[in-house]
Amino acid sequence: MQALVIVAHGSHLNPDSAQPTYDHADTIRKTGAFDEVREGFWKEEPHFREVIRTVESDEVFVVPLFISEGYFTEQVIPRELRLEGWDPDLWESDGTDATEVTLEVGDAEKTVHYCGPVGTHDAMTDVIVKRAETVTDDPDVGPGFGLAVVGHGTERNENSAKAIEHHTERIREMDRFDEMRALYMDEEPEVDDVTDYFESEDVVVVPLFVADGFHTQEDIPEDMGLTDDYRTGWDVPGIVDGQRIWYAGAVGTEPLMADVILERAVDAGADVGDALEQVESWTSERPAAGD
Amino acid sequence: MEATGWRVADEVLEAFLETVLETDEDDQPVIDFDGLVAERLADGSTYRLETSTTTVEIEASTVANATERSMDELRQSLEPIGPFVTNWYVWERTVGGRETARRAFLRWCEGAPLDDPKVETVASKTDTSDVLDRYDALESGVVRHWGELQITTRLATEDGGCTGTGTGTGTGAGERVYEIRHVQDADATDETLEDHDDPRDAREIVTYDADGRYRPLKTAPTLVAGWRFAGLSGDDLVETVRTIYPATVANWHREQCGDLDVDHWLETAERQTGIYDVIDELPRETLEWLTEACCVDSQCLKRREWEYAADDPIDTDPGDGVFPCREPCSLVIAAARKWAILESEEEKTWELELTTTEMNQLAEIVDAVADGRVDEIREADVYDGANRYRARYLRAKRMDDGSLGEGATNR
């Protein structure tokens, strides 16, 4: 038997924070690829501390629904899951390369495959592009458009920016959008000045966040000048300095994220049958060209 | 229970015979479960099926060369022990999962002793070990309480419904069917409750309280009433309970097995890093106040098992919850961070100009907020010190700059 455990932050204050975790877990449950699929949280229940004991399977694939490697993936989650012998060096990562490490846990007779966070997986690049397609309702969006990938950015964790840059560079290599930029909330270049960084008339802004919450639904729309007051909402696209801003909201809410979670588990050795194809077919349903 | 007329379903009969046929000649019973023993006699000619009240013997040749007709005869001969046979089928084939929390919980739900070698608790000994008594109880429905949940277990009928409704004596497969509702709805008629059958529907139910506020603590005694999950299978029952009270089944099972791992306050606090690194500085004496604030039955349905340290118990009543709390939860940790910071402040002496009644009114306001009574105070009840007009008057009179400090001096 194999189980998938998706670990996420959750919130004591915001009931929507855990929603993407539940949604993606439900998608993966529907594939039947795992005997058990469970959610575990830092700020909700079941807590990281107790989630492993709720599974019956001997083999557990733990996928952090986090954007970057850092404090949570390297310290909090391994400690709270009681991963025995854990050391960040086991991942042999320079900030975006963590894939998997197999360890035992201290409170149950289980083998845990502890995976890298979803945010740094290469498949995440496709989710960002997919998000741009979703928000513009155009499966071929690209020519004539700029794309901004927005991260939190923080001086405390250099890996936070690395994940953003990683995907920005990969999308740039696709040569699909006219312009590409990585922007941040708390460091330069800042998302506040989004229109300074693009010449294109249309700019898609995709925040690399797991859930919609304070930052993506309050800070960023106001900082960009998309709205004076987040409570009154904003248009998509909205006009800022004469440019059309297609604000996408948190990338983590994109249904295709379930695919990245599965990819992480597959990289760690999970046997998921044709689940990847199933998830892709469910999440790529869109009208054919000309419809 | 009247066992006569108990028709054992085809799939049960097949599985049972298949298992009995596996009996070899080393004199070991092939089935020894919940009072049913099945063994092959030494000469190999006969299978003996024995319960506390009945013994059925079947010739080996009948089993080995079963035809459709002889199958009917076999079925008839099993009728006297029908409940035992279907009971074996349910636990061995449908539920399975020996030594799992899921199985233990389902056994607990119908008052069966926990058939786990690690369990030697008093609680399990008081349960009904006799299968016939248990089937009698399942006919009318076995009711158990789990936090604010009322869980009823019944035998399923052929139409997938429940017994106790006059529709017969079950499918012959012994299948159990479960219902969950809020304990407040114990006497509510089914039609007045909102029906659900998908465990995931419970997510919505647990997210908000009756006033529509977010419930960050799933075991807070604020679960809304007015719904029921009916016709649940065992797996769906466990999944629903897991959604409503996450990890409670797993920790309760560990407790039943005598290996609940408790992390006391100090260990949990010292483990914290980042912004929670400070909580191990919270003074020892404040733990009484902390647990009184957060960890009593009025605030959380878990029974606190953790202390300040293994050899340093906390005086606050740990609560009466059926499921144990094995370490301070994330809400307590977050609150403790605030208190750790606040408790590092020095105490000062303040001089305030207040009448005696105004001073008492401050206490009434604190009480009303702490007990969540604010919304119950009537608009015009100016006799209550925590009444809104009374509080606004006090603010207008004594708090020119938004704080009581205007007239107060710090000595």
Side-chain angles (χ1 to χ4, degrees):
Chain A
M1 281 176 74
Q2 59 175 11
L4 173 69
V5 172
I6 306 171
V7 289
H9 194 285
S11 168
H12 289 157
L13 302 175
N14 183 352
D16 301 324
S17 171
Q19 196 57 50
T21 315
Y22 290 128
D23 290 343
H24 305 319
D26 286 346
T27 302
I28 294 168
R29 269 188 200 100
K30 205 163 65 167
T31 69
F34 291 87
D35 300 291
E36 299 165 285
V37 178
R38 295 245 192 288
E39 307 88 353
F41 300 97
W42 173 233
K43 293 287 187 182
E44 294 182 35
E45 298 156 280
H47 192 267
F48 293 161
R49 196 76 181 153
E50 310 202 302
V51 68
I52 300 293
R53 66 184 54 196
T54 70
V55 305
E56 288 182 17
S57 306
D58 299 325
E59 203 157 357
V60 185
F61 295 84
V62 174
V63 177
L65 194 55
F66 282 77
I67 291 301
S68 55
E69 292 173 32
Y71 178 58
F72 274 96
T73 60
E74 291 177 0
Q75 284 192 55
V76 177
I77 298 169
R79 180 188 78 215
E80 299 295 302
L81 292 182
R82 305 167 172 87
L83 295 184
E84 293 189 333
W86 162 256
D87 187 310
D89 291 343
L90 293 171
W91 262 347
E92 295 179 357
S93 172
D94 72 352
T96 57
D97 304 329
T99 53
E100 189 263 352
V101 58
T102 300
L103 298 165
E104 303 298 310
V105 287
D107 66 325
E109 286 168 12
K110 314 276 181 202
T111 298
V112 169
H113 302 277
Y114 182 47
C115 303
V118 290
T120 55
H121 196 281
D122 283 353
M124 193 69 187
T125 308
D126 299 331
V127 184
I128 296 168
V129 173
K130 176 75 181 171
R131 194 85 190 124
E133 295 172 6
T134 309
V135 72
T136 56
D137 199 21
D138 177 4
D140 301 313
V141 64
F145 275 71
L147 174 62
V149 182
V150 182
H152 192 289
T154 166
E155 286 166 9
R156 287 174 300 175
N157 178 7
E158 59 180 25
N159 288 342
S160 168
K162 279 185 187 170
I164 313 294
E165 280 154 21
H166 176 72
H167 297 298
T168 304
E169 195 49 44
R170 280 173 52 84
I171 299 172
R172 184 174 286 130
E173 285 166 9
M174 289 176 183
D175 214 13
R176 174 167 174 166
F177 294 86
D178 286 359
E179 300 171 277
M180 282 300 304
R181 268 292 191 177
L183 301 177
Y184 302 95
M185 289 183 62
D186 280 4
E187 61 184 65
E188 297 280 333
E190 290 193 358
V191 68
D192 305 35
D193 312 315
V194 58
T195 53
D196 293 353
Y197 296 103
F198 290 92
E199 290 175 6
S200 309
E201 199 173 321
D202 288 282
V203 179
V204 178
V205 177
V206 180
L208 201 58
F209 286 72
V210 166
D212 271 323
F214 178 61
H215 291 316
T216 66
Q217 297 300 296
E218 300 179 25
D219 280 0
I220 297 177
E222 286 185 6
D223 289 352
M224 287 193 300
L226 206 51
T227 178
D228 292 334
D229 182 345
Y230 74 90
R231 286 167 294 196
T232 60
W234 54 87
D235 293 329
V236 178
I239 307 293
V240 177
D241 300 335
Q243 283 166 292
R244 271 194 297 272
I245 304 293
W246 301 76
Y247 181 57
V251 69
T253 61
E254 180 66 36
L256 188 58
M257 277 290 283
D259 175 81
V260 189
I261 296 170
L262 273 173
E263 295 271 10
R264 274 288 181 222
V266 169
D267 292 348
D271 176 7
V272 303
D274 62 353
L276 283 168
E277 291 77 14
Q278 286 185 59
V279 168
E280 274 176 39
S281 73
W282 294 334
T283 55
S284 68
E285 284 160 11
R286 64 185 191 201
D291 278 2
Chain B
M1 154 164 282
E2 183 55 62
T4 313
W6 186 278
R7 187 180 181 281
V8 176
D10 290 349
E11 69 268 28
V12 180
L13 186 64
E14 279 166 28
F16 186 72
L17 291 179
E18 197 176 283
T19 304
V20 169
L21 279 171
E22 284 168 12
T23 315
D24 53 25
E25 289 165 35
D26 64 1
D27 293 338
Q28 290 296 311
V30 69
I31 294 174
D32 184 355
F33 180 76
D34 270 3
L36 171 67
V37 176
E39 57 193 347
R40 188 176 185 172
L41 296 188
D43 65 3
S45 64
T46 309
Y47 295 101
R48 186 204 296 269
L49 316 170
E50 199 171 329
T51 71
S52 58
T53 53
T54 316
T55 300
V56 175
E57 292 196 345
I58 300 174
E59 283 183 22
S61 57
T62 317
V63 179
N65 310 310
T67 61
E68 198 169 317
R69 190 172 154 198
S70 61
M71 284 293 273
D72 278 340
E73 283 171 20
L74 278 170
R75 192 194 309 279
Q76 280 173 20
S77 60
L78 289 179
E79 273 183 13
I81 58 166
F84 287 89
V85 175
T86 60
N87 182 67
W88 165 83
Y89 179 78
V90 161
W91 292 108
E92 294 306 292
R93 296 297 170 92
T94 311
V95 177
R98 271 195 178 272
E99 299 183 31
T100 62
R102 171 176 58 88
R103 179 187 180 95
F105 183 71
L106 293 174
R107 302 261 313 166
W108 177 85
C109 282
E110 65 176 63
L114 306 189
D115 60 342
D116 187 324
K118 298 192 297 274
V119 175
E120 289 177 21
T121 63
V122 178
S124 68
K125 283 178 188 157
T126 62
D127 290 323
T128 311
S129 56
D130 187 274
V131 168
L132 295 181
D133 289 347
R134 221 194 302 147
Y135 266 53
D136 255 347
L138 287 169
E139 285 280 341
S140 49
V142 176
V143 175
R144 287 272 171 147
H145 289 165
W146 189 258
E148 290 188 285
L149 304 181
Q150 172 175 293
I151 301 169
T152 307
T153 311
R154 291 189 173 89
L155 287 172
T157 55
E158 281 178 48
D159 60 4
C162 313
T163 52
T165 53
T167 51
T169 50
T171 60
E175 193 187 333
R176 270 65 156 169
V177 62
Y178 302 86
E179 191 221 63
I180 310 180
R181 63 174 67 193
H182 198 293
V183 288
Q184 284 171 19
D185 294 326
D187 299 324
T189 53
D190 296 351
E191 303 72 46
T192 60
L193 301 175
E194 192 182 325
D195 259 320
H196 298 275
D197 57 12
D198 182 346
R200 281 178 249 165
D201 289 354
R203 272 188 216 145
E204 184 75 15
I205 292 170
V206 301
T207 303
Y208 302 95
D209 69 13
D211 296 323
R213 290 174 305 197
Y214 176 45
R215 297 172 70 239
L217 180 65
K218 297 287 196 295
T219 45
T222 54
L223 187 65
V224 291
W227 48 267
R228 74 174 190 137
F229 286 80
L232 295 178
S233 66
D235 281 352
D236 281 352
L237 169 81
V238 174
E239 196 59 42
T240 308
V241 171
R242 251 189 212 127
T243 305
I244 297 173
Y245 295 132
T248 56
V249 170
N251 282 324
W252 164 85
H253 181 237
R254 280 171 180 252
E255 185 176 54
Q256 295 295 310
C257 294
D259 61 4
L260 180 71
D261 48 336
V262 174
D263 280 10
H264 297 288
W265 169 263
L266 213 47
E267 305 161 52
T268 308
E270 286 172 349
R271 194 177 78 225
Q272 305 302 316
T273 52
I275 62 170
Y276 300 109
D277 188 35
V278 298
I279 69 168
D280 59 353
E281 292 166 22
L282 193 64
R284 163 67 185 89
E285 62 269 24
T286 61
L287 262 292
E288 311 292 338
W289 304 327
L290 179 152
T291 47
E292 190 180 322
C294 305
C295 308
V296 292
D297 284 347
S298 67
Q299 306 302 311
C300 178
L301 297 165
K302 280 189 197 165
R303 167 174 33 87
R304 180 178 52 77
E305 289 296 315
W306 52 271
E307 306 289 353
Y308 181 73
D311 57 355
D312 187 351
I314 294 169
D315 287 338
T316 312
D317 184 344
D320 297 320
V322 63
F323 28 83
C325 175
R326 50 161 301 280
E327 72 174 26
C329 69
S330 71
L331 270 169
V332 162
I333 298 294
R337 174 175 179 257
K338 188 69 188 172
W339 288 315
I341 294 165
L342 297 182
E343 289 295 342
S344 68
E345 281 183 39
E346 273 185 41
E347 290 190 349
K348 298 175 185 174
T349 302
W350 299 84
E351 194 169 283
L352 287 172
E353 291 286 335
L354 293 176
T355 66
T356 304
T357 301
E358 285 169 347
M359 190 64 199
N360 292 339
Q361 195 189 343
L362 292 182
E364 286 181 70
I365 290 170
V366 170
D367 260 352
V369 172
D371 295 336
R373 200 171 60 83
V374 175
D375 292 339
E376 295 164 20
I377 300 169
R378 287 171 294 179
E379 179 101 354
D381 186 5
V382 291
Y383 299 96
D384 191 317
N387 168 271
R388 189 168 80 240
Y389 294 132
R390 287 280 302 278
R392 290 177 65 84
Y393 186 92
L394 185 71
R395 182 174 68 178
K397 179 180 175 185
R398 300 289 187 188
M399 296 171 62
D400 281 350
D401 66 346
S403 87
L404 267 175
E406 226 289 313
T409 50
N410 177 12
R411 286 205 301 212

